[in-house]
Amino acid sequence: MAAAAKIDVYKEWLGIPEGPRPPDHYALLRLPQFEDDVAKIQKNYKKLNAAVRKYATGKYAAESQELLNELARAMLCLTDAERKVEYDREQGREIDDRDATTGRRPMTSYLQAEGVLTSAQVNEVKSHAERTGLSQRDTVVQLKLADQETATRAYASEIGLAYIDLADMIPDENVLDSVPKSVVRRYTCLPLFVDGERVLVACSTEPSMELEEEFRLRFGAAMRPVLATPKAIKEGIDQYYAQGLRKEKAVPMKVGGAASKLMDKVAQKKPVSQMTDEEKEERSKLGIVLCSMTFVVLANLDAWVLHDLVSICRTFASVDSTCRNANGRRFIRPQKKTATSSK
């Protein structure tokens, strides 16, 4: 708002010292620079609004109305979280938008903090993405505001995944053999190697539950997704799944699991004479565990199978003793007389 010709309303009515006119939102509402307390912002606004309303009638009515509108615009901006972030950046505030718990931050904020996008370009990206239905990552690339790698790094920050350069990775052949080409093409992903109890998988986007279940079934372990550019993943698929290069395993590879570890130890046979005392003790414990498992299986077999077999035999015995004649009348088969009854 332009200052009145005969009166500086900012100084006379609001007590703002001489300086830039119009003042920024914080100075206008008599707040410390970058104040975040919404309650304090609203409290100051109400106080100043009441002070300016005193001049709503009389020769300064027009100036009063204009200043009231300016106060309202400032308050609305500073109490709207998204608009406040944008305004604060314009005022030179360095803002870290990362979530305190997850460490995530919006990709547009990441790109703006990196100096890739301006505030106007952020709005352009959001508007274009909403209008076309494209993701913000694809929108940034399509508008040629950033390359695919930069956009993917920003997207990784937003969804909370690590970004990797596949040029630095050498996938494990056994892991590659365990995942068919049809699967990696369908999900645009590239399995890399076993990382502890998980399988490291490069993905082009946030993995779906379907993809996670696919790897859980194939490896008996959860996947650990990381993000790479779609282009790099497609090139990796072409390289590592070239025609005739890979023979898919009939039996999926298993990672981890108590049962598989136990059987692995049992399978590693070694003559007793070559064992240490610790190995002998371990084998003895394994033998006890296997015997216990066998006992449990046999007990369940007795409870489930034999019990049902006895029930079936009793049923047949009952049917055999109860018969029906040709007319459908029920009769009991005569029992043989014992020696005592004949006498």
Side-chain angles (χ1 to χ4, degrees):
M1 168 186 133
K6 297 181 180 180
I7 184 174
D8 183 350
V9 294
Y10 301 110
K11 181 179 180 180
E12 299 297 328
W13 295 353
L14 303 180
I16 299 174
E18 293 182 0
R21 295 292 188 263
D24 64 59
H25 292 346
Y26 294 98
L28 181 65
L29 295 175
R30 307 308 308 275
L31 294 165
Q33 190 75 349
F34 306 132
E35 175 63 59
D36 293 323
D37 190 334
V38 173
K40 188 173 182 180
I41 294 171
Q42 292 176 334
K43 180 180 179 181
N44 278 28
Y45 165 73
K46 290 180 180 180
K47 181 179 178 180
L48 295 171
N49 180 281
V52 174
R53 282 185 180 276
K54 296 177 182 178
Y55 305 96
T57 58
K59 61 179 181 179
Y60 296 118
E63 289 83 355
S64 173
Q65 186 59 52
E66 190 173 357
L67 185 55
L68 286 172
N69 292 342
E70 191 173 348
L71 287 168
R73 287 194 295 269
M75 182 274 295
L76 291 173
C77 176
L78 297 185
T79 54
D80 183 310
E82 187 172 352
R83 291 175 60 195
K84 185 178 188 300
V85 167
E86 183 176 350
Y87 180 80
D88 286 358
R89 278 207 181 92
E90 292 174 353
Q91 297 298 310
R93 184 180 186 181
E94 294 184 2
I95 298 176
D96 188 349
D97 293 313
R98 284 174 288 191
D99 185 281
T101 303
T102 64
R104 301 184 183 189
R105 66 191 305 189
M107 66 169 292
T108 50
S109 298
Y110 176 97
L111 293 172
Q112 192 171 7
E114 293 293 317
V116 178
L117 299 180
T118 64
S119 297
Q121 288 172 329
V122 168
N123 293 331
E124 181 185 3
V125 168
K126 292 179 179 179
S127 176
H128 189 275
E130 185 176 352
R131 185 172 62 255
T132 61
L134 291 173
S135 67
Q136 290 187 359
R137 176 176 63 169
D138 292 340
T139 298
V140 168
V141 176
Q142 187 181 80
L143 295 178
K144 298 182 179 180
L145 298 174
D147 57 37
Q148 195 175 80
E149 180 180 349
T150 302
T152 302
R153 286 181 183 275
Y155 178 57
S157 174
E158 179 173 278
I159 64 176
L161 294 181
Y163 172 84
I164 62 168
D165 185 350
L166 287 181
D168 300 330
M169 297 288 166
I170 301 178
D172 186 304
E173 292 294 328
N174 289 326
V175 172
L176 291 171
D177 287 341
S178 299
V179 185
K181 185 176 182 178
S182 59
V183 172
V184 297
R185 283 201 177 279
R186 185 191 319 150
Y187 296 105
T188 314
C189 66
L190 187 66
L192 299 174
F193 49 82
V194 176
D195 181 16
E197 292 292 324
R198 296 191 175 193
V199 183
L200 195 71
V201 183
C203 303
S204 63
T205 186
E206 189 170 11
S208 63
M209 293 180 63
E210 184 181 5
L211 176 59
E212 292 181 345
E213 186 62 22
E214 179 80 36
F215 273 84
R216 186 175 288 107
L217 291 174
R218 289 186 174 277
F219 292 88
M223 64 179 285
R224 187 189 301 280
V226 292
L227 215 62
T229 64
K231 179 182 178 182
I233 292 177
K234 290 176 181 177
E235 290 176 349
I237 293 174
D238 291 340
Q239 177 182 352
Y240 296 109
Y241 285 88
Q243 185 69 28
L245 177 64
R246 196 157 306 289
K247 184 177 181 181
E248 297 173 3
K249 290 183 177 180
V251 180
M253 175 181 177
K254 296 295 181 182
V255 178
S260 63
K261 290 180 180 178
L262 177 62
M263 296 311 297
D264 287 343
K265 289 183 178 180
V266 174
Q268 296 173 357
K269 295 182 179 180
K270 188 176 183 180
V272 177
S273 59
Q274 298 179 10
M275 291 183 179
T276 63
D277 292 339
E278 292 181 356
E279 290 175 333
K280 290 178 182 179
E281 183 179 357
E282 184 177 4
R283 172 165 287 193
S284 176
K285 291 179 180 179
L286 288 174
I288 294 173
V289 171
L290 291 175
C291 288
S292 300
M293 292 173 64
T294 303
F295 175 78
V296 171
V297 171
L298 291 176
N300 288 328
L301 182 66
D302 177 64
W304 299 334
V305 179
L306 297 182
H307 176 75
D308 291 342
L309 184 60
V310 171
S311 298
I312 292 172
C313 291
R314 287 176 178 174
T315 301
F316 275 111
S318 175
V319 171
D320 182 62
S321 63
T322 304
C323 304
R324 296 180 182 274
N325 60 14
N327 295 326
R329 293 183 178 180
R330 182 174 179 274
F331 69 92
I332 305 299
R333 176 176 292 179
Q335 301 292 329
K336 291 183 179 181
K337 294 183 179 181
T338 61
T340 305
S341 61
S342 61
K343 291 179 181 181

